[in-house]
Amino acid sequence: MSNTSTQKTPYFLPAEVVRAIARALDSKNNSELLDNKCQDLYLNKNELDQLINTHIYKVIEKVELKKSVENELKTLIAQMFDDYLKVVANYGLSERHRDEIGPWVVEAFFCPYLINIVSFLGIRTRPFEKTDYIELMTNNSTSLELAFKIIERRVKDWNTFYADLPQGDKDKITAWRRGDDIPSQTSLMSILNTQNAPKNVLVFLLTARAIEYFKKQNDYELLTQYFKSPVSFEALMVQFEDLMSALYERDMQYVNTLYQNKDEQFFDRPSTIIVKLLDLSLNSFSKDEIKQAKECFVKAFELSLYRSGRLCNHIIEVGFVIASWQESPDMSLISKLKSVQNLYGYTLPTIVTEDAKRKKENLVEDWEINMWRSNAQKVFNDFKVELPEKYQVSSAILPVYLDAKELELDLKKPNKKVKLNENSKLHRDKNKKKQITTQLIWNTLLEDLDAVNKLLQAGADINILSDNNESALLIALQYMNLIEINEPDDSFYQALKDLSYTPKTINAMTSKKHLLPLLSAVQTGRLDVVEHIVKLGADVNKKGGGSHLDALTTCLFLIGTIKNSKLSNNRFSMIAQDPKTAIKRMSDFEFSTFVRETQGSLGFNRQQVTNHLAQMMKSSDAMALLKEVSEVFKEQTQANYELFDLSKMRKIAKLLIDQGANPSARYDWHGIHGYTPFLLACELNEAELVSYILDNATEYSKDDIINTVYRDRRDGQAIGYERICKHFKADDVLEVIDRHLTLEISDEVN
């Protein structure tokens, strides 16, 4: 990472960090795409993940480490990026220049993380030791010469391997040892990534190459202050955040002094310019000058990126309102706001989907536009700005409206469209003021079974979806869904099940709650229903729902909840009894789901929701109603969960596995990155299902399943099945896995 930067931002952009590591590893470091991304303020999380995968992870995979070591190493690197972006998102450095702050960030942030990674390699890459890796960094000689001396000392069969090398390869090694040049990744791979090469020599030399590159680009003495026992990521973050806070306070004191002394320098400070631009934007919007408001906002937003810390979060919320209320909502700006919001780790209510036609962060749903529009005054209240009445929409929940003529059943035109939800203020498309559905779907929603049967007899097309991507079959499945607060009713399903459905209908996902027919089928707890939906062509690996999970994971979560159904009741009771604490305890993921479910009607950040609930608590009638609803919820939930049968749920899980459900599919949950159905089955001590997963796995996929680790973003730990089983006392599962591993070793011997 060069000490001199062409960038204006005090912080390194994440793509610059990727490029620095790529150059150290000699991993496609001349990539034009990567260079371009190093200039991109609006890089999204998906693009960053792709860059990390291409320029860092691919090199790790080529080294052919033990799978568990490879996964843990990737986890350490991913955690470094997460923690760095956490710093960028929370601590402002508006008054600092890159040339001043860049070397300090390298020294105080990246160097200790490098020590942690090197320490890990020293523990997991026998025959090398941690002291060997540290010696590479502390010794004054070239890292490659020292590396080969250590190899000669540590690796017993090195001399034999070296003696058998072609003369050309020996000449290359001699040149590297002299320090004539730093070996390329390709050269190292060509000599040492072979079947007869001694174990872990390649990873040791690649590390030596990276350290040598670092020494040439930076003062290697930067590392020496961190050679004590490496500390945890969590401890590193606390230390670094304290330093950042002190730096930020010093900068703000400086700016305040300039302001108090009426010093002209004050007006040229970046923090002052950002606030001034934001103020102009807010005032323009309050005067109904929405185009001018957007122009000023974009300048403020761009200047705040990788500079302003927590202020950037507030700026983004203002931007959503301004972009959504343009005559035609500015989807390009909204996409940029969402990309940064996701990358920085701020709460993001949109669920990522696999829509191949659009970039992941570009997916903006109508309900979100409505949410931002309806929260305009709440956002502007934080800045003490009063908006014109036209912007003061009270709720994001669209009222359902149908006139008498549209309600009348028309059997002569069974596929006649029904228009609803008249609300031009909230809908983002002014040419589409009403949402559209079909008579069949509408009457299914109205629970009018007689009308549904008449429409079917009249030839209603069951494969026409509503604007919301609902089908009559999906609604029928929801009536049987045991996690919904209603008594299960399969009468609509019976009326609709034996008809001919297209794969599009079976795999259609609704736009707000992301409901899927297969997920709803699993939540009925009925094996026959799941079998039916699978036979109709359901994609067993498609993710959906508020938690964005696939069918197998959903099934396993239900098994866990059935075993302890009081947990969901306790969570709801907490919201009814102590809503402030309940909101505070929610993970970002849980809170994002809560915002989606309420459509932002209570606010779309924690403070807004907490304030809204605090206001509700002042009303005895409102609190009494909330407690009454809580009791009804608990009673109905308990009654529904008693209808689930654990043995049938396990049969459903096995059916999904038979149909190709991926037990290694990764998902995020409560700050945990990369949890899988297999790991969840381990947590639940589901020995029968763990055994079934392994029995049905290929030799390659079994290794991948067992060696998968998840990353706990809270402390940077990479955790596999063993630690999960020990923590949750899943001894039965441990026995099953040990038995499979023993058989595997026995097969290899034979």
Side-chain angles (χ1 to χ4, degrees), residues 134-154:
I134 291 177
E135 194 177 348
L136 293 176
M137 292 184 279
T138 56
N139 198 293
N140 238 339
S141 62
T142 66
S143 296
L144 270 299
E145 166 61 14
L146 183 60
F148 281 106
K149 286 182 178 179
I150 294 171
I151 289 168
E152 289 168 348
R153 186 170 74 239
R154 291 285 185 194

PDB file of all heavy atoms in Angstrom, residues 134-154:
ATOM      1  N   ILE A 134       7.718 -15.240  11.933  1.00  0.00           N
ATOM      2  CA  ILE A 134       8.130 -13.980  12.556  1.00  0.00           C
ATOM      3  C   ILE A 134       9.560 -13.631  12.146  1.00  0.00           C
ATOM      4  O   ILE A 134       9.887 -12.470  11.901  1.00  0.00           O
ATOM      5  CB  ILE A 134       7.989 -14.062  14.092  1.00  0.00           C
ATOM      6  CG1 ILE A 134       6.502 -14.104  14.459  1.00  0.00           C
ATOM      7  CG2 ILE A 134       8.681 -12.887  14.770  1.00  0.00           C
ATOM      8  CD1 ILE A 134       6.221 -14.268  15.932  1.00  0.00           C
ATOM      9  N   GLU A 135      10.408 -14.652  12.033  1.00  0.00           N
ATOM     10  CA  GLU A 135      11.794 -14.418  11.612  1.00  0.00           C
ATOM     11  C   GLU A 135      11.847 -13.801  10.217  1.00  0.00           C
ATOM     12  O   GLU A 135      12.715 -12.970   9.923  1.00  0.00           O
ATOM     13  CB  GLU A 135      12.564 -15.739  11.644  1.00  0.00           C
ATOM     14  CG  GLU A 135      14.073 -15.565  11.552  1.00  0.00           C
ATOM     15  CD  GLU A 135      14.813 -16.889  11.665  1.00  0.00           C
ATOM     16  OE1 GLU A 135      14.176 -17.909  12.034  1.00  0.00           O
ATOM     17  OE2 GLU A 135      16.024 -16.910  11.375  1.00  0.00           O
ATOM     18  N   LEU A 136      10.917 -14.206   9.354  1.00  0.00           N
ATOM     19  CA  LEU A 136      10.865 -13.625   8.007  1.00  0.00           C
ATOM     20  C   LEU A 136      10.668 -12.115   8.065  1.00  0.00           C
ATOM     21  O   LEU A 136      11.178 -11.377   7.209  1.00  0.00           O
ATOM     22  CB  LEU A 136       9.709 -14.241   7.205  1.00  0.00           C
ATOM     23  CG  LEU A 136       9.802 -15.716   6.821  1.00  0.00           C
ATOM     24  CD1 LEU A 136       8.522 -16.151   6.124  1.00  0.00           C
ATOM     25  CD2 LEU A 136      11.001 -15.968   5.927  1.00  0.00           C
ATOM     26  N   MET A 137       9.921 -11.652   9.075  1.00  0.00           N
ATOM     27  CA  MET A 137       9.604 -10.229   9.157  1.00  0.00           C
ATOM     28  C   MET A 137      10.666  -9.428   9.905  1.00  0.00           C
ATOM     29  O   MET A 137      10.841  -8.246   9.660  1.00  0.00           O
ATOM     30  CB  MET A 137       8.238 -10.051   9.821  1.00  0.00           C
ATOM     31  CG  MET A 137       7.093 -10.561   8.965  1.00  0.00           C
ATOM     32  SD  MET A 137       5.476 -10.266   9.688  1.00  0.00           S
ATOM     33  CE  MET A 137       5.398 -11.624  10.834  1.00  0.00           C
ATOM     34  N   THR A 138      11.365 -10.059  10.824  1.00  0.00           N
ATOM     35  CA  THR A 138      12.302  -9.317  11.671  1.00  0.00           C
ATOM     36  C   THR A 138      13.718  -9.286  11.119  1.00  0.00           C
ATOM     37  O   THR A 138      14.473  -8.360  11.393  1.00  0.00           O
ATOM     38  CB  THR A 138      12.342  -9.932  13.084  1.00  0.00           C
ATOM     39  OG1 THR A 138      12.682 -11.315  12.982  1.00  0.00           O
ATOM     40  CG2 THR A 138      11.007  -9.786  13.776  1.00  0.00           C
ATOM     41  N   ASN A 139      14.071 -10.292  10.337  1.00  0.00           N
ATOM     42  CA  ASN A 139      15.440 -10.388   9.850  1.00  0.00           C
ATOM     43  C   ASN A 139      15.700  -9.356   8.755  1.00  0.00           C
ATOM     44  O   ASN A 139      14.843  -9.087   7.914  1.00  0.00           O
ATOM     45  CB  ASN A 139      15.707 -11.799   9.312  1.00  0.00           C
ATOM     46  CG  ASN A 139      17.189 -12.079   9.197  1.00  0.00           C
ATOM     47  OD1 ASN A 139      17.873 -11.478   8.396  1.00  0.00           O
ATOM     48  ND2 ASN A 139      17.664 -13.014  10.006  1.00  0.00           N
ATOM     49  N   ASN A 140      16.904  -8.798   8.771  1.00  0.00           N
ATOM     50  CA  ASN A 140      17.260  -7.746   7.818  1.00  0.00           C
ATOM     51  C   ASN A 140      17.549  -8.278   6.425  1.00  0.00           C
ATOM     52  O   ASN A 140      17.495  -7.535   5.451  1.00  0.00           O
ATOM     53  CB  ASN A 140      18.494  -6.989   8.326  1.00  0.00           C
ATOM     54  CG  ASN A 140      18.208  -5.519   8.492  1.00  0.00           C
ATOM     55  OD1 ASN A 140      17.279  -5.001   7.904  1.00  0.00           O
ATOM     56  ND2 ASN A 140      19.023  -4.848   9.296  1.00  0.00           N
ATOM     57  N   SER A 141      17.880  -9.547   6.317  1.00  0.00           N
ATOM     58  CA  SER A 141      18.207 -10.109   5.008  1.00  0.00           C
ATOM     59  C   SER A 141      16.935 -10.274   4.183  1.00  0.00           C
ATOM     60  O   SER A 141      15.827 -10.098   4.676  1.00  0.00           O
ATOM     61  CB  SER A 141      18.904 -11.459   5.174  1.00  0.00           C
ATOM     62  OG  SER A 141      18.034 -12.377   5.817  1.00  0.00           O
ATOM     63  N   THR A 142      17.105 -10.624   2.909  1.00  0.00           N
ATOM     64  CA  THR A 142      15.919 -10.793   2.064  1.00  0.00           C
ATOM     65  C   THR A 142      15.091 -11.965   2.582  1.00  0.00           C
ATOM     66  O   THR A 142      15.634 -12.988   3.011  1.00  0.00           O
ATOM     67  CB  THR A 142      16.310 -11.067   0.600  1.00  0.00           C
ATOM     68  OG1 THR A 142      16.968 -12.321   0.523  1.00  0.00           O
ATOM     69  CG2 THR A 142      17.204  -9.975   0.057  1.00  0.00           C
ATOM     70  N   SER A 143      13.790 -11.809   2.527  1.00  0.00           N
ATOM     71  CA  SER A 143      12.885 -12.820   3.077  1.00  0.00           C
ATOM     72  C   SER A 143      13.036 -14.154   2.373  1.00  0.00           C
ATOM     73  O   SER A 143      12.894 -15.210   2.987  1.00  0.00           O
ATOM     74  CB  SER A 143      11.432 -12.333   2.968  1.00  0.00           C
ATOM     75  OG  SER A 143      11.252 -11.184   3.753  1.00  0.00           O
ATOM     76  N   LEU A 144      13.355 -14.116   1.052  1.00  0.00           N
ATOM     77  CA  LEU A 144      13.443 -15.371   0.306  1.00  0.00           C
ATOM     78  C   LEU A 144      14.685 -16.176   0.682  1.00  0.00           C
ATOM     79  O   LEU A 144      14.635 -17.398   0.807  1.00  0.00           O
ATOM     80  CB  LEU A 144      13.416 -15.090  -1.202  1.00  0.00           C
ATOM     81  CG  LEU A 144      12.028 -15.064  -1.857  1.00  0.00           C
ATOM     82  CD1 LEU A 144      11.344 -16.417  -1.698  1.00  0.00           C
ATOM     83  CD2 LEU A 144      11.148 -13.968  -1.288  1.00  0.00           C
ATOM     84  N   GLU A 145      15.832 -15.497   0.859  1.00  0.00           N
ATOM     85  CA  GLU A 145      17.040 -16.210   1.279  1.00  0.00           C
ATOM     86  C   GLU A 145      16.812 -16.851   2.639  1.00  0.00           C
ATOM     87  O   GLU A 145      17.136 -18.026   2.862  1.00  0.00           O
ATOM     88  CB  GLU A 145      18.227 -15.235   1.336  1.00  0.00           C
ATOM     89  CG  GLU A 145      19.457 -15.747   2.074  1.00  0.00           C
ATOM     90  CD  GLU A 145      20.063 -16.999   1.459  1.00  0.00           C
ATOM     91  OE1 GLU A 145      19.718 -17.354   0.305  1.00  0.00           O
ATOM     92  OE2 GLU A 145      20.879 -17.646   2.139  1.00  0.00           O
ATOM     93  N   LEU A 146      16.239 -16.072   3.546  1.00  0.00           N
ATOM     94  CA  LEU A 146      15.956 -16.585   4.883  1.00  0.00           C
ATOM     95  C   LEU A 146      14.954 -17.737   4.816  1.00  0.00           C
ATOM     96  O   LEU A 146      15.084 -18.745   5.530  1.00  0.00           O
ATOM     97  CB  LEU A 146      15.416 -15.461   5.762  1.00  0.00           C
ATOM     98  CG  LEU A 146      15.129 -15.801   7.214  1.00  0.00           C
ATOM     99  CD1 LEU A 146      16.384 -16.276   7.928  1.00  0.00           C
ATOM    100  CD2 LEU A 146      14.547 -14.582   7.932  1.00  0.00           C
ATOM    101  N   ALA A 147      13.942 -17.604   3.956  1.00  0.00           N
ATOM    102  CA  ALA A 147      12.903 -18.633   3.831  1.00  0.00           C
ATOM    103  C   ALA A 147      13.519 -19.967   3.419  1.00  0.00           C
ATOM    104  O   ALA A 147      13.180 -21.022   3.972  1.00  0.00           O
ATOM    105  CB  ALA A 147      11.856 -18.204   2.818  1.00  0.00           C
ATOM    106  N   PHE A 148      14.445 -19.950   2.459  1.00  0.00           N
ATOM    107  CA  PHE A 148      15.052 -21.199   2.008  1.00  0.00           C
ATOM    108  C   PHE A 148      15.956 -21.803   3.081  1.00  0.00           C
ATOM    109  O   PHE A 148      16.061 -23.029   3.195  1.00  0.00           O
ATOM    110  CB  PHE A 148      15.815 -20.978   0.705  1.00  0.00           C
ATOM    111  CG  PHE A 148      14.919 -20.940  -0.503  1.00  0.00           C
ATOM    112  CD1 PHE A 148      14.633 -19.747  -1.149  1.00  0.00           C
ATOM    113  CD2 PHE A 148      14.337 -22.103  -0.980  1.00  0.00           C
ATOM    114  CE1 PHE A 148      13.799 -19.708  -2.250  1.00  0.00           C
ATOM    115  CE2 PHE A 148      13.492 -22.078  -2.086  1.00  0.00           C
ATOM    116  CZ  PHE A 148      13.216 -20.878  -2.718  1.00  0.00           C
ATOM    117  N   LYS A 149      16.604 -20.959   3.887  1.00  0.00           N
ATOM    118  CA  LYS A 149      17.403 -21.485   4.997  1.00  0.00           C
ATOM    119  C   LYS A 149      16.511 -22.192   6.017  1.00  0.00           C
ATOM    120  O   LYS A 149      16.863 -23.257   6.539  1.00  0.00           O
ATOM    121  CB  LYS A 149      18.158 -20.342   5.679  1.00  0.00           C
ATOM    122  CG  LYS A 149      19.345 -19.812   4.879  1.00  0.00           C
ATOM    123  CD  LYS A 149      20.060 -18.713   5.638  1.00  0.00           C
ATOM    124  CE  LYS A 149      21.274 -18.209   4.858  1.00  0.00           C
ATOM    125  NZ  LYS A 149      21.973 -17.112   5.578  1.00  0.00           N
ATOM    126  N   ILE A 150      15.341 -21.592   6.277  1.00  0.00           N
ATOM    127  CA  ILE A 150      14.398 -22.202   7.220  1.00  0.00           C
ATOM    128  C   ILE A 150      13.856 -23.510   6.652  1.00  0.00           C
ATOM    129  O   ILE A 150      13.709 -24.508   7.363  1.00  0.00           O
ATOM    130  CB  ILE A 150      13.251 -21.228   7.549  1.00  0.00           C
ATOM    131  CG1 ILE A 150      13.800 -20.016   8.316  1.00  0.00           C
ATOM    132  CG2 ILE A 150      12.148 -21.919   8.358  1.00  0.00           C
ATOM    133  CD1 ILE A 150      12.798 -18.889   8.499  1.00  0.00           C
ATOM    134  N   ILE A 151      13.585 -23.512   5.348  1.00  0.00           N
ATOM    135  CA  ILE A 151      13.086 -24.732   4.691  1.00  0.00           C
ATOM    136  C   ILE A 151      14.122 -25.853   4.817  1.00  0.00           C
ATOM    137  O   ILE A 151      13.789 -27.005   5.143  1.00  0.00           O
ATOM    138  CB  ILE A 151      12.761 -24.454   3.205  1.00  0.00           C
ATOM    139  CG1 ILE A 151      11.503 -23.570   3.099  1.00  0.00           C
ATOM    140  CG2 ILE A 151      12.547 -25.764   2.435  1.00  0.00           C
ATOM    141  CD1 ILE A 151      11.265 -23.007   1.718  1.00  0.00           C
ATOM    142  N   GLU A 152      15.368 -25.513   4.569  1.00  0.00           N
ATOM    143  CA  GLU A 152      16.431 -26.518   4.674  1.00  0.00           C
ATOM    144  C   GLU A 152      16.537 -27.069   6.097  1.00  0.00           C
ATOM    145  O   GLU A 152      16.863 -28.240   6.303  1.00  0.00           O
ATOM    146  CB  GLU A 152      17.766 -25.901   4.245  1.00  0.00           C
ATOM    147  CG  GLU A 152      17.845 -25.643   2.745  1.00  0.00           C
ATOM    148  CD  GLU A 152      19.031 -24.768   2.352  1.00  0.00           C
ATOM    149  OE1 GLU A 152      19.660 -24.166   3.254  1.00  0.00           O
ATOM    150  OE2 GLU A 152      19.313 -24.668   1.146  1.00  0.00           O
ATOM    151  N   ARG A 153      16.230 -26.195   7.064  1.00  0.00           N
ATOM    152  CA  ARG A 153      16.306 -26.611   8.462  1.00  0.00           C
ATOM    153  C   ARG A 153      15.088 -27.413   8.898  1.00  0.00           C
ATOM    154  O   ARG A 153      15.185 -28.353   9.683  1.00  0.00           O
ATOM    155  CB  ARG A 153      16.452 -25.349   9.331  1.00  0.00           C
ATOM    156  CG  ARG A 153      16.689 -25.623  10.796  1.00  0.00           C
ATOM    157  CD  ARG A 153      17.068 -24.357  11.549  1.00  0.00           C
ATOM    158  NE  ARG A 153      15.938 -23.467  11.763  1.00  0.00           N
ATOM    159  CZ  ARG A 153      15.887 -22.209  11.325  1.00  0.00           C
ATOM    160  NH1 ARG A 153      16.907 -21.703  10.633  1.00  0.00           N
ATOM    161  NH2 ARG A 153      14.832 -21.457  11.560  1.00  0.00           N
ATOM    162  N   ARG A 154      13.925 -27.081   8.377  1.00  0.00           N
ATOM    163  CA  ARG A 154      12.663 -27.669   8.851  1.00  0.00           C
ATOM    164  C   ARG A 154      12.192 -28.879   8.041  1.00  0.00           C
ATOM    165  O   ARG A 154      11.594 -29.806   8.592  1.00  0.00           O
ATOM    166  CB  ARG A 154      11.555 -26.599   8.807  1.00  0.00           C
ATOM    167  CG  ARG A 154      11.698 -25.473   9.800  1.00  0.00           C
ATOM    168  CD  ARG A 154      11.329 -25.905  11.195  1.00  0.00           C
ATOM    169  NE  ARG A 154      11.363 -24.784  12.125  1.00  0.00           N
ATOM    170  CZ  ARG A 154      11.349 -24.909  13.427  1.00  0.00           C
ATOM    171  NH1 ARG A 154      11.309 -26.122  13.969  1.00  0.00           N
ATOM    172  NH2 ARG A 154      11.386 -23.853  14.218  1.00  0.00           N
TER     173      ARG A 154
END
